Structure formats: C-alpha cells, structure tokens
Amino acid sequence: MDMRVVRRICQIFFLALFLWLCAVMTLGTGWRQLRGWPVNWFLQIDPLVGLGTLLSTGRLYAGMIWSLAVVCMTLAFGRFFCGWVCPLGTCQQAAGYAGRRTRSLAGKVAVNQYHGAQNLKYWILAALAAAAAGSGMFQGMMHVPWLVAVIVCIAIGYFRGVSAFYLGVGLMLFWALVAGFQKIAPGFLQIGLLDPICLMQRFVNFVMLPLVDGGIVDMYPGNRFYALGWFSAAMVGFAVAASVRIPRFYCRYVCPLGALFGLISQASLWTLFRKNVQCRKCRVCEKDCEGACEPSDRFRVSECVLCLNCMASCPDDEIRFGIASGRPLPIDLERRRLLGAVVLGVAAGPVSRLDPLNAAAWNPELVRPPGSLDEAEFLSRCVKCGQCVRICPTNVIQPAGIEYGFSRWATPVLNFRAGASGCQLNCIACGHLCPTAAIRPLGLDEKKTLRIGTAFVDWGRCLPWAMDRPCIVCQETCPVSPKAISTRIHFSFLDLGPLAVEAVDAAGIHLKESVLPPDQLATGDYYCVTGQDVYLRILANTDRLLVLEDSGVQHPVSEDPIRIAIRLQRPVVDPNRCIGCGICQHECPVRGKPAICVTAENESRHRSHALLISEPQSGQP
Amino acid sequence: MGPEDLISRRNFLARALQAGLTGTLVAGGGILFYDPDGPMPPVVQAVSLPDFSISGIKKQLCIVHGPDRKKSLRSAFQALGGMESFIRPKDRVLIKVNAAFATPPQLGATTHPELVSETVRMCIESGAAYVAVTDNPINDPQSCFELTGIGPAARQAGARVILPDPGAFAPLTVPNARLIRNWPVMVGPFEGITRVIGMAPVKDHHRSGASMTLKNWYGLLGGRRNIFHQDIHTIIQELSIMIRPSLVILDGVAAMVRNGPTGGSFSDLRRTDTLIVGTDPVAVDAVGASLLQRSLDQLPFLEKAEAAGAGTVNYESLNPIRITAG
C-alpha cells in the first residue's frame, strides 16, 4: 500500500478530530457536548506549549506530560507531527497542492527548493524560548533540578563541540543579565502567538465556529462574538494563502513548533535517505517535496516533514525510510544570528514590561476569569489558546486586544457588555479547561467567594441616583447571598412645589388647582407628603384629586399644603460581598455605558489591589 | 477604407442584437430594483396573545399544605376534579416556568423541577398531544435550564424545552396599555397552543415586593425589558392582562423570604409547606403574599391587576379548597 494514502488518511483524521474537539467544547451533557472529550489534547501533545511553560514556570502542568510522547516519537521518526498530524500543516498542504497542480514539472521543483531563510523559524524559536526562559531560568535556579539541567547542557556542549559550549555560557550570562531585571521581568511567554496549534485553536474557536453556529447545528443559543477574531483569521488565512505559491510557507519559514521538531529530529532514529549516494539528479523527487528538504541532494532531516512524496515519485526507487548510516546533515544555525535572536528574546520581556501598565498604572478594565493567577504568573502560563474563551457559556470571556499591553494580546479578559450575561456564580468551566493552569481549577465553594473585581455605581448615570426613576435591576440580579447590592430609601420631591388643599373627604384629597398629571401618580411609587410629614402612597389621581392608601393614619384635615414625592431605592454596593461577577453591569438598563461597572479593584488575586482595610471572612459580611 | 473594414450585415445584426439584449437586461434590472420612495417609517404589525383561560368553568382555587411537592400537586388536582377538567385530550400545552437564574433547584430561585415533571406527566396522562416548557431567563438560557434541573426534568417527562431565540419574539401591544406597546414578546412558543400553565415559586422581590405567578410573565418580555423596573407595578398589571393563563401553580413549599429574587443561600428560604393551584392568578398570588407575610399595601401590583380585571385579591371569595397532603 502506498504510504502516502495512509498519510493522507491520517492528516484528514487529525484535522477532523481537531475540528470535532473544538465543536464539542460546549457546556452540556449531550454526546456532542463537553462530556469527557479530551478537548485540550492537541495543545497537550504540543511540545512547544510544554517547553514554553516549562521554561517560564519551571513546571510541566498535568496534561502537558503528553507532549513527552510526541517528543519520543519524534526522536524515533522525525517530524511526523508536521506532516501527519498538524491541522495547520494539513490546510497548507492542501493549498499548496492546489496551487502547483497546473505547474510544469520544472515549476513544481522550483517552488520546493531549499531556501536559507528556512533558518528563520529556528531563530524565532530561539527568541520565543529565550523570552520564556528569561525569568524561568532565574526562578528555576532556586530549584536544584534546573541547576542540574543547566550543568548537563554545558557538559554536553563541551563534549560535542565548542559552539554549544559558548551557547551555554551565553545563556548563563543572559540569565545573569535578566536577574537584574527581576522586578519587572517575570516570564514572557509569547509562544502562543505563533504556535500552530494555538493559532488554529484561536482560528476555529474565534472565527470558524461562530460563523457556522446555527447553520446545521446549534452550538449556542444566540450568537457568539469574539474581539479581534479577524486577526486570527488573517494569520491563518495568510499562512494558507501564501502556501498556494510557496508550499507550506508557514512550516518552512515561521513555525517555531516545526523548528523544535527540526532540532529534535537531528537525533531521530528513522529517517528518509537514499540507497545510493549517486543518483541521476533528475529531481523528480522534489516536485512535491513539502518540507523543501533537498531529497535529491543532502536530505535535510530537520526540514523533512515525512510527506513521503519523494519516495513515491523517485523513478529509480532509490529513496528509503529506515535507519541510515552516518549522522544527519546538521542545521547551520549561524551562531551570531542565533545569538542575536536569543538576545532579542531575552530582552523583549523586560523591555515590554517597562510599560507602566505592568506596574502602578495597571488597567482596571482588565478583569480576568475567576481563578486566574496573579498577573505576572498568569502571563508566564497563558498560551493564548482561547479554550477558556470558547468554553465560557455566556461569552463574557473575550480575547484581549492590545489596549492592555501587547504582551496580553489574545489573553482572556471579561467584557460584561459583550457577553450574554456576567460570570455565572455556579460555573467553573474556564479554570478546569485551561491547559496550562493560568486559570487554576476552582471548586464551586471557592468560586462563590473569589473576587474578580468590584462593582461601582455611577451616581451620575444611575436612574434612581441621577434621574429620580425607580429601577434597582442590579440589586435584583445580584447572585450572591446576602446580596452585595443593598438599597437606600430616598423620597425625592416632584418639581410641583407645595400644593394647596381645598378639601379632604372620603374620596381623598382635593386640591385647589388642577396641576397633577392625570393617572400618572398611580404607579405605586408616588407618595403624598402631608403637612405633618406623613407619607401616604397614592393609589389613584386625577388632575386635582388624590386617592391615598388607607394607612390607619388620619388624612390631613388641616389646609396645610401637601407635596408629592417619588419613593426611590438607590443601590449601594458592599465591597465585602461583591465578587465582581458583572451580572449587574450586564443587566443595567443603561446599556451603552452602564451605571454600574465592574473593575478589577479588590480582586482576590492581587493583594495590592485590595480596597478594604480588612480581609472579610469568606462568605461573611 | 476598404471593404474588409466594413462590418458584414450578419455581424452587424448579431452585435446589434447583443447590445440590445444587454441594454434591455440592464434597463429591466434597473426598473426591477427601482425604488422611487426610499425607506418608509416601519409599519409594525402588532400581534396579541389569545385568551387561554378556560371558559365555562367557574374560578377555582386549591391550597394544599404539605412538604412533598408531587403529592401536593396530585392532591390539589384531585380536589379540583382532576387534571382532565383543565387539559382535554389533544390539547397543546405550554408551561411557562421561572428559570430566570442558573442556580440549583434547592435554592428556590426557580420553578422546582419535580413540579415541572409532575405537571408535564399529568398533562400527558390527561391526553395532551404536546407539552412544551419555556422561559426567557435573565442568566444564560442554556445554563439556566440545565442547572435548575428544569430542562432535564421536562425532557424526561416528555415535554419539549424551548429556549428563546430571536425569531420567537414579535412586537405585541396590550390594548389600552401604557407600557407594552409594540414591545417584543416571546410569542413563538405560543403558536398552536391551546392551554397555558404558569408555574412560579414564592419569592421576595425588592422592587415589586414579591415575585410570584404574575411577575413570572415578565419572562416573556424581550428587548430591553429591564427599563420596566422604572414602573414595576404597572408592568405587572399589564402583564396580568397580556396573558390570561388556563391555570397557575404557585410553589410555596419553601418561600424565599429575603434576598430575592436570586436568593443563593438556604437561609434565604423558609419552610411554608404550601402549594397553591388556581385559575385566578391574582387570587393565587394573594395567597402567596400571605406566605411572605406581606400585606396588599406592600404589593400594589395585586390591586392594580385586580383593577385591570385579571382576577380578585379577595381569594376567600372563591371558596378555596384547603387540604393537607402527605
């Protein structure tokens, strides 16, 4: 059987699996909803996510251990992931196939030539890894295993050649440099920007699913909205479109995950190789070479994505997959450029953190999902995969734009106007799904007392405060018990002035002048205030007659003028009880710029954002 | 100019025909899409809901005491002459529950799933051809129906659960009303319905005083319904005549006496062990008010609903049947 058929089936299977796992990521118990489906699987088998978080935190969180299996398989077979599993690779391969179908043989061969710029992806990887490690190395030094790992690296570098030795020393020096930046330089994890799995997760979650939702199947009641979805679409769109002219453009030049696999594949056991060193150089093998790995020349194992097209197209059946004798062609990473990339990466974190947004001028609009670690630690873990954004049942978690700082792009932030409601009191989905524990998994009891922010009433916009209109929708919808929003009763006198009384009888109070708006005061909220300061609810009225409730109090017999007041309940937030869920903000009838808004004040994850003089006992006022 | 530069007659005719046809198509298309008037102010075709109250029977009210909702419900209908006297064979029944919040049923903020399933079962036993359960909740609809247990309970008992979707809303005007004029109301689920049952728990409500079966119809409103809180008693009054249900069931087994209407803690509930079934929503709510120990003065919407002709607050005038179950 032609192995290419197996490979194609495999690619289609994993692409379908990827889409399926995105589609089932919907809260619910149905078979096509989140019900034990391993929806994080692709992220967890992604060694770049594993390596990145390992470098930035010194830990390999839970499911990320799966990535070791892929590393082991790469050590055995090379970049099988790129050619057989990666969904972005499959999409690019399809585009590349379509793009070169009508080309001549020479044209096909021409687009598949190795290019020196394919080294770019290694430098990107070096920069991203160095950025992630910038602080991780420092924090990690506190741990003996990390120290041992550094020593082992240097030792290997020494025995394998001077360049690696220098590299190790260089890294150590940069660690020393970054250590000086400790105050402003916790982990700078940006691998999610370019990691193909994160890229595809964002694309499918933020763009594809919201577009197809409601077509054949309903995945949500109502629509889904995602901030900056277009940018995710543009990135994947560009990678696929570029592949029409340059097959697997992204894999060859950009992909840091491909670069990581390329490095690992240097040690892989099985590779593609030619039986005889001499061939007739017909280059037919290069007409469909996905990786541009020069099968007719030196077989760059680090570029080969195991598409196996060369094997099938060689007229002399010269190409084999097996254990070759001799070392694979080493990658020439051009030491100075590599060093440059590392310097760039290590410097990027501290430089970006010079922004006061990362210090005293933190953005109060940045309300993170419940369970998010403190901001520095959060950023050293979040890979921008968008899983929390996808699972959120109310769509209140949105990918952040760059208004929170460039390094926070596509990280989750709560937008209480975009969602279908606020953060639900009994929902802990995001933390349980987060593949890297940037949002740690919470229990329901903890969730109910964990503050993600505090609601503030804007007296200038609130109807009962500013406009003498009853409302208190915020108080009604506040989900905590006892409610975090209480009300203060206030009687506001109407702009009618004291009204002279003509007579008082069984029917009610007759006024001297016809000044009342007929039937408008019978809503149950208006009161007649007598000369003796007695408040009586108005049951009905004409332009001069007021019918009042029978309160057991004598109606005013004197001719003291009366006044009309509206009874208002004005909302007041108790910051001890408010957890910042934002349901009040979402329900506030002042929709555009709500009269009650949640900001990150008093959020539990930062003691420095505390608002109150004492920490309340959990659940207690 | 030689003769070879001249177009042949045949060619000329062919090209003239081509040009003529294209011109006709363009002109025809232009005329087809021609709009001399521009956009007009929208004409709203306001719909209204039919009267679902059961004609030909006098108003009935049953107050059952007992801690077991299912038993109380069965006893109530037994005392009222059986569910068959309300639901006829082939009836299509819509049950409007209170599923406003995504909270577990034990907290009493929503209609209890046991009551939903039992009512659905009794409707089907009486021969109902179709039973649906609906609400337009405040929190995320799907979470609400799942977490409250109403969704699974209804489906298990054989009812359809209808979540709100934009197509279900249509502008509705209540005759002589001040607030509900061309207002989007969830009328979709009422299509083809012959009987409507309202089911709500007894709850404290800071703005209106109490949330029971009348306030429960608020959940049919769409749009920016929150603005009606500015005149809460009038909106409940208008809701009481917007929809005239076949019967209502008020769950006062565990009344939410404070922190309503969301509750959130068991300490917000008080055991009142009462279930009220009746055909007069105002009378049913008046009984519910007594469970909250609230006077009519504290709940102006009750007398306003009576004034609008939705029922009577004087529930004793209906000679309520009082029984004890379980």
Side-chain angles (χ1 to χ4, degrees):
Chain A
M1 188 178 174
D2 188 345
M3 280 304 282
R4 287 182 306 166
V5 178
V6 180
R7 189 250 301 151
R8 281 179 204 135
I9 292 171
C10 201
Q11 283 180 294
I12 292 167
F13 169 76
F14 280 111
L15 179 62
L17 181 68
F18 182 81
L19 294 175
W20 173 254
L21 292 180
C22 286
V24 296
M25 218 188 320
T26 305
L27 277 188
T29 51
W31 65 273
R32 59 178 178 82
Q33 290 169 321
L34 186 68
R35 197 188 180 181
W37 288 103
V39 291
N40 278 333
W41 192 68
F42 277 89
L43 287 159
Q44 287 170 339
I45 64 169
D46 178 341
L48 184 59
V49 173
L51 176 71
T53 50
L54 178 68
L55 287 173
S56 62
T57 65
R59 294 281 187 277
L60 198 62
Y61 175 62
M64 300 309 313
I65 200 85
W66 281 103
S67 59
L68 292 184
V70 174
V71 172
C72 292
M73 286 177 73
T74 308
L75 282 170
F77 305 116
R79 291 175 63 178
F80 77 100
F81 186 92
C82 308
W84 291 55
V85 179
C86 180
L88 184 58
T90 303
C91 295
Q92 290 182 87
Q93 187 162 350
Y97 171 76
R100 66 174 181 273
R101 260 188 79 182
T102 53
R103 292 184 185 216
S104 66
L105 180 61
K108 287 180 181 176
V109 170
V111 295
N112 288 327
Q113 290 308 299
Y114 176 77
H115 194 289
Q118 285 177 235
N119 267 354
L120 186 62
K121 61 177 174 291
Y122 297 102
W123 303 329
I124 289 174
L125 172 67
L128 291 173
S135 68
M137 280 192 288
F138 174 72
Q139 290 165 350
M141 285 303 278
M142 301 303 160
H143 305 293
V144 178
W146 190 264
L147 195 60
V148 171
V150 171
I151 292 167
V152 169
C153 279
I154 295 169
I156 292 172
Y158 182 76
F159 287 118
R160 285 201 53 180
V162 184
S163 69
F165 175 71
Y166 277 142
L167 187 64
V169 172
L171 283 171
M172 290 297 286
L173 284 174
F174 283 116
W175 159 73
L177 173 73
V178 175
F181 283 105
Q182 187 206 355
K183 277 183 206 143
I184 53 166
F188 191 66
L189 186 67
Q190 295 295 327
I191 59 123
L193 272 181
L194 297 174
D195 179 275
I197 301 298
C198 296
L199 208 60
M200 281 298 279
Q201 291 277 7
R202 285 200 298 272
F203 173 67
V204 176
N205 288 343
F206 302 169
V207 183
M208 261 182 75
L209 291 179
L211 289 181
V212 302
D213 176 38
I216 301 167
V217 285
D218 270 323
M219 279 174 284
Y220 292 99
N223 293 322
R224 299 289 281 191
F225 298 94
Y226 294 111
L228 282 178
W230 65 270
F231 193 69
S232 299
M235 283 180 83
V236 172
F238 180 75
V240 174
S243 298
V244 174
R245 288 201 78 85
I246 306 165
R248 283 199 185 242
F249 168 81
Y250 195 82
C251 310
R252 289 182 188 175
Y253 296 99
V254 186
C255 184
L257 178 61
L260 181 60
F261 285 131
L263 290 176
I264 299 170
S265 70
Q266 287 285 288
S268 63
L269 211 48
W270 280 273
T271 57
L272 281 163
F273 65 96
R274 279 200 317 277
K275 268 194 302 189
N276 298 313
V277 179
Q278 296 300 321
C279 77
R280 50 195 173 105
K281 290 272 185 283
C282 68
R283 303 179 95 180
V284 170
C285 55
E286 285 173 4
K287 78 180 164 72
D288 290 317
C289 175
E290 288 290 322
C293 58
E294 294 190 295
S296 72
D297 190 16
R298 291 181 293 176
F299 248 126
R300 294 175 184 268
V301 169
S302 57
E303 303 302 310
C304 172
V305 297
L306 256 73
C307 67
L308 306 181
N309 288 337
C310 55
M311 223 165 135
S313 55
C314 178
D316 300 330
D317 203 15
E318 282 282 305
I319 298 171
R320 286 277 176 277
F321 182 66
I323 302 175
S325 63
R327 285 179 166 276
L329 187 72
I331 317 167
D332 178 15
L333 291 181
E334 302 169 66
R335 198 188 316 153
R336 285 173 195 173
R337 290 189 178 180
L338 182 66
L339 217 57
V342 171
V343 171
L344 198 75
V346 171
V351 169
S352 87
R353 286 200 168 76
L354 286 173
D355 193 327
L357 272 176
N358 298 298
W362 52 277
N363 188 337
E365 305 287 327
L366 184 73
V367 179
R368 293 280 193 203
S372 295
L373 305 180
D374 83 71
E375 191 62 14
E377 219 179 319
F378 178 90
L379 289 175
S380 70
R381 282 177 179 267
C382 178
V383 292
K384 313 170 196 286
C385 63
Q387 299 289 80
C388 54
V389 178
R390 167 75 175 99
I391 195 65
C392 177
T394 62
N395 201 195
V396 69
I397 306 182
Q398 291 282 325
I402 56 168
E403 65 270 33
Y404 305 102
F406 175 76
S407 59
R408 291 177 179 84
W409 180 77
T411 59
V413 56
L414 270 61
N415 183 331
F416 299 108
R417 289 180 63 217
S421 181
C423 176
Q424 304 290 286
L425 189 66
N426 292 299
C427 176
I428 45 174
C430 49
H432 283 266
L433 209 63
C434 179
T436 60
I439 309 170
R440 88 192 141 82
L442 296 175
L444 264 178
D445 286 339
E446 192 184 0
K447 163 69 198 288
K448 287 177 185 174
T449 53
L450 192 85
R451 289 188 304 274
I452 56 176
T454 301
F456 286 79
V457 180
D458 184 341
W459 286 10
R461 302 181 71 83
C462 174
L463 297 181
W465 280 105
M467 299 172 182
D468 284 351
R469 303 279 161 131
C471 180
I472 62 163
V473 174
C474 51
Q475 187 272 352
E476 174 185 332
T477 54
C478 175
V480 301
S481 177
K483 282 183 186 294
I485 303 176
S486 56
T487 58
R488 305 285 180 269
I489 303 292
H490 174 80
F491 285 91
S492 188
F493 291 105
L494 299 202
D495 196 14
L496 285 171
L499 303 172
V501 176
E502 190 175 76
V504 179
D505 58 25
I509 298 179
H510 300 268
L511 302 180
K512 278 193 174 136
E513 289 171 67
S514 307
V515 288
L516 302 178
D519 222 28
Q520 299 277 300
L521 305 178
T523 64
D525 296 314
Y526 289 94
Y527 282 73
C528 170
V529 186
T530 69
Q532 290 82 36
D533 237 20
V534 177
Y535 288 70
L536 294 166
R537 195 196 297 262
I538 299 169
L539 298 182
N541 77 293
T542 66
D543 55 352
R544 348 183 11 187
L545 173 69
L546 285 170
V547 182
L548 304 181
E549 67 176 332
D550 179 18
S551 65
V553 182
Q554 282 293 306
H555 284 173
V557 284
S558 69
E559 294 192 354
D560 289 345
I562 56 128
R563 286 185 297 173
I564 310 290
I566 185 163
R567 179 180 181 269
L568 299 167
Q569 296 160 301
R570 292 175 163 174
V572 174
V573 177
D574 180 347
N576 264 336
R577 291 176 186 158
C578 180
I579 55 170
C581 73
I583 291 176
C584 53
Q585 179 175 351
H586 184 269
E587 300 302 331
C588 179
V590 186
R591 283 279 164 96
K593 188 177 164 193
I596 185 164
C597 285
V598 171
T599 51
E601 320 286 349
N602 212 22
E603 58 181 343
S604 299
R605 66 192 187 120
H606 287 134
R607 286 197 68 88
S608 61
H609 296 182
L611 193 64
L612 304 172
I613 43 175
S614 64
E615 279 283 303
Q617 295 295 308
S618 75
Q620 292 297 309
Chain B
M1 191 154 57
E4 66 278 348
D5 294 329
L6 286 172
I7 191 165
S8 71
R9 180 177 291 114
R10 173 185 289 264
N11 256 346
F12 168 74
L13 285 175
R15 281 172 59 179
L17 190 68
Q18 197 184 353
L21 276 177
T22 312
T24 312
L25 272 176
V26 170
I31 289 165
L32 197 67
F33 296 113
Y34 180 54
D35 175 15
D37 302 324
M40 302 295 257
V43 180
V44 186
Q45 282 291 330
V47 294
S48 66
L49 287 173
D51 187 342
F52 294 102
S53 61
I54 301 166
S55 53
I57 61 168
K58 77 177 188 32
K59 285 187 174 178
Q60 288 175 294
L61 183 63
C62 181
I63 304 168
V64 195
H65 294 282
D68 187 319
R69 291 184 175 84
K70 285 186 179 181
K71 279 184 191 162
S72 294
L73 192 74
R74 291 264 171 194
S75 311
F77 278 104
Q78 213 164 16
L80 292 170
M83 185 61 112
E84 305 79 55
S85 52
F86 303 100
I87 306 292
R88 303 153 302 183
K90 301 271 181 271
D91 259 341
R92 296 172 67 80
V93 185
L94 181 69
I95 301 174
K96 161 70 175 80
V97 292
N98 182 338
F101 304 105
T103 53
Q106 296 81 2
L107 293 176
T110 48
T111 304
H112 201 281
E114 270 184 16
L115 271 185
V116 177
S117 57
E118 199 66 2
T119 309
V120 170
R121 257 182 230 114
M122 289 170 77
C123 288
I124 293 172
E125 285 164 16
S126 303
Y130 167 90
V131 185
V133 173
T134 196
D135 193 14
N136 178 24
I138 293 171
N139 295 163
D140 168 58
Q142 209 173 20
S143 312
C144 283
F145 273 93
E146 293 309 315
L147 274 174
T148 57
I150 295 173
R155 280 189 292 266
Q156 210 161 24
R160 246 192 84 189
V161 175
I162 304 178
L163 297 184
D165 76 278
F169 292 86
L172 185 143
T173 296
V174 174
N176 302 321
R178 190 156 55 82
L179 304 177
I180 307 180
R181 304 194 66 82
N182 289 329
W183 192 267
V185 172
M186 191 166 70
V187 294
F190 287 89
E191 190 117 348
I193 293 298
T194 55
R195 288 282 188 264
V196 170
I197 302 175
M199 292 180 80
V202 175
K203 293 198 290 180
D204 162 57
H205 191 276
H206 207 54
R207 176 70 181 102
S208 65
S211 172
M212 295 177 289
T213 67
L214 288 173
K215 170 73 173 60
N216 188 32
W217 302 120
Y218 209 102
L220 292 177
L221 296 174
R224 292 179 57 191
R225 58 183 177 183
N226 285 344
I227 62 171
F228 291 131
H229 269 56
Q230 292 162 43
D231 196 351
I232 194 84
H233 301 297
T234 308
I235 189 71
I236 300 176
Q237 176 189 34
E238 293 185 2
L239 286 168
S240 74
I241 48 173
M242 178 186 89
I243 170 97
R244 293 177 188 276
S246 314
L247 64 131
V248 292
I249 299 166
L250 183 61
D251 177 7
V253 172
M256 184 184 290
V257 290
R258 63 171 161 270
N259 215 44
T262 50
S265 164
F266 290 118
S267 63
D268 299 329
L269 304 177
R270 192 173 62 212
R271 280 192 62 172
T272 40
D273 286 347
T274 310
L275 187 84
I276 307 135
V277 179
T279 54
D280 180 334
V282 184
V284 169
D285 275 14
V287 181
S290 68
L291 298 180
L292 287 172
Q293 293 167 341
R294 293 205 179 145
S295 66
L296 293 181
D297 279 347
Q298 291 170 293
L299 311 173
F301 66 85
L302 281 177
E303 283 179 326
K304 285 171 87 75
E306 184 183 62
T312 172
V313 294
N314 183 10
Y315 57 87
E316 292 296 351
S317 69
L318 302 181
N319 297 319
I321 305 166
R322 286 188 164 83
I323 51 174
T324 302

